[in-house]
Amino acid sequence: MMTQSTSAMFEALRQKLGPQVQSVRADRENEVYVLLRDADIRPITEHLRGEFGARLVTVFAEDRRSAEGVFFNYYVFEQKGSAQYLIVQAPVRSDSLEFPSLSAELPAVNWQEREIQDWFGLKAVGHPNPRRVALHDNWPDVYPLRKDFPLETVLPPFEGERHIYRPAFGEGVLQVPVGPVHAGIIEPGHFNFAVAGEPILYLQLRMFYTHKGTEKLFEKLLIHKAVFLAESISGDSSFSHGTAFCQAIERAASIEVPLRGLVMRTILLELERICNHVGDIGAIVTDVGFVIANAHASRLKETMVTLNEQLTGSRLLRGMVCVGGVRRGWDQVQLNTLRDTLDSFAREFQDLISLIDRSESTRDRLEQTGVLRPDKARDLGIVGVGGRASGVDLDVRRDHPYAAYSRYPFRVPVYQAGDVWHRMQVRIDEVNESIGIVRKAMTDALQREFRVPVPSIPSDRCALSAVEGWRGETIHWIRTGPDNHLQRCKIKDSSLNNWPALVEAVQGNIIADFPVINKSFNLSYSGTDR
Amino acid sequence: MFKILQKTASTGTVTVNYAAEPIKISERFRGRPDFDFDKWKDARPAAEVCPTGAISLSDKGDSRKVTVDYGLCIFCGLCAEASSEQAVRITQEFELAASDRRNLVLTAEYTLNADRTHRGLRKVDRKSVNVETDVENLGKKARETIHKILGRSLAIREVDAGSCNGCELEIVALNNPVHDIERFGIQFVASPRHADMLLVTGPVTRNMELALLKTYRAMAEPKVVVAVGACGISGGIFGVNYASLGGVDKVLPVDVYIPGCPPRPQALLHGILLAIGRLAERLHNDRAG
Ligand code: SF4
């Protein structure tokens, strides 16, 4: 099943790193696993990045001590122009518990490696900043994702410091702590600003306040129930995460979703994008005082959320996606509502955008504000809207087509300026593209089946699934277990590796601009913390 | 400027007049699952599929106790799909807020046949689920409290104690021009010191417990606490685990519980109005005593 480019890649790998590669398997199209003999990921990473320009998508671990006597680290790579994911599986010995860190060269995996340290008790040797990230400093030494840690463990009460921030030195340098509870109706996180007068010197973040044991909980739930947990990873991305999860199960169990189901998923994924993007556009302009534009934007969002409910019974598109397709079809009345609502939305959206475009003062405030330079964005591994506004040309819908995206060509907007204005511009362009996709998809495959019956899910199968949520790349990786359960479910919301983008973009800006810069990324705390 | 005015004028009034008149919501909306206990011949399929354990069974010999907890329900509709249409039906009811946690729980007791299906219904305990639905009256009373007793607008401090952010989306929607909560004289404020009401979402994570307590303690008396959504009420799908405490009332005294996953804006408003009633009582008692 291996395609030509993989086998070429693999041949090259074998020649270069022969003794270190134990085996290669392609469980299915576009998902190739390379099993190493030891934990040393560095030579193969260097090779894949150097020779093939591969990008390291995500890093995560699995406790396989009872089955295979080791932990595994998984390194997911993708290569520009190939729909394939190459997953390097590196054993981490349970007597040493050490693996070499890649963070010094690849800051994109900084938090992810530390998460492995915190949740599995493995040590990232050579990590430039190996402090805790996914458990706060006042947690006892527990490793929640190890198999011998029960989900329901009752931990002793907190003692000690929650997090020790690096002190800021220098004349006139002040530290300003904010959070975890913020002024507005937003999620909790702690921001520690070092400021010199007005400008921000640097920002330290403390996330994971909303950590609620989600990945561990996936190992307890029946798969059909776990779909609802996936929908609750990040409420604003219920459909993206729900779909990513169902796709993973379908890939593991070789379930083929009927075309109509794929088309409906595509439509709903785009409606989720439209709702959130238009909401964000309103939120961004509010922060620079354009309240009227926000009133229109939030009203437009409300009409789309109401449409969501007409199509799925839920304003957040919940309870619709299922393993095997979608739970309900649409009748003609619903399709008409979809068409009419989208038409009037499209008209009003253009009005909204021209309102904003005419506002010189809005543009003035947003241009050159919160700049993330393209080279920085690339180095930090920034994905999604924030990446595309800074020259990172990635979009899972185009690069690793899923659902029915290959049927509806669309444009991926990419800008180089990397400021708040262009992050808003990416959203505007994407809303327009989404409208186009939904219009084409609306009349497609109308009379067909939307769901197949799901057999019992075979045990011990691994599968990777990716979705371009409205925020960006959303990855789920699973290993199935007996009796329709999972042994492991790894979730990577695009927010996790995008926080450093915020840290970078606020530097040198005044603290008063922090809210608008933060909103222009609009990352999910719950998606990060799980 | 002209363009802005034109846009504003052509849009007209969009605010819906909930709670003064009942609102039209899509017939697809999934609200409270309703159980016809007489016609329910077997509760097992529904209990088996229910993702959060909102429907639970305990069998003893040839009798079965069925418990339905709307505080755990995420309104997925699976119970209705798994049961006969006469027995379990998804309604469009959303005004489910209750000031007593027990009012969100129903129980029914059955005798069983040999194949574990229901032979007869022994008794049903409905408590008072869904009694406080007179929103018009609630709205009127709330307005009176806000104007006459508080003499200013009601201030709400929202705290996300670990939600998935779904509840936040609906709370933010309360402020949009369609739902426009400010027309009741209700405002969201930044400082807990100015707040009369604490609106809490999320299962209360271990990492948010302290911040939640601090916010509560910073509020002046009298104050009310509202737990929002399945997570805020019971931990919802997250339940109780090493990182999740399983609901706001594990940490704070809760005055009103608002079911939903998330509760739609009108459901939030209904619960908030109910809580204003509680606040009025407290103010009244304070003054009397
Ligand atoms: S609708 Fe509520 S009671 Fe019914 S299955 Fe879903 S969570 Fe359980």
Side-chain angles (χ1 to χ4, degrees), chain A residues 254-288:
Chain A
S254 308
I255 296 166
E256 203 152 324
V257 176
L259 180 60
R260 177 81 187 128
L262 297 175
V263 170
M264 288 174 66
R265 282 183 185 178
T266 307
I267 291 173
L268 294 169
L269 285 162
E270 293 312 304
L271 293 181
E272 187 167 82
R273 194 177 323 278
I274 293 173
C275 286
N276 283 287
H277 278 359
V278 74
D280 279 353
I281 292 166
I284 291 170
V285 297
T286 318
D287 271 353
V288 293

Side-chain angles (χ1 to χ4, degrees), chain A residues 182 208-209 235 309 315, chain B residues 28 157 164 170 205 207 264:
Chain A
H182 299 282
F208 288 86
Y209 281 91
E309 183 172 270
R315 289 162 51 93
Chain B
R28 313 278 171 176
R157 173 65 253 205
C164 70
E170 294 297 50
T205 57
N207 288 342
R264 57 185 304 118

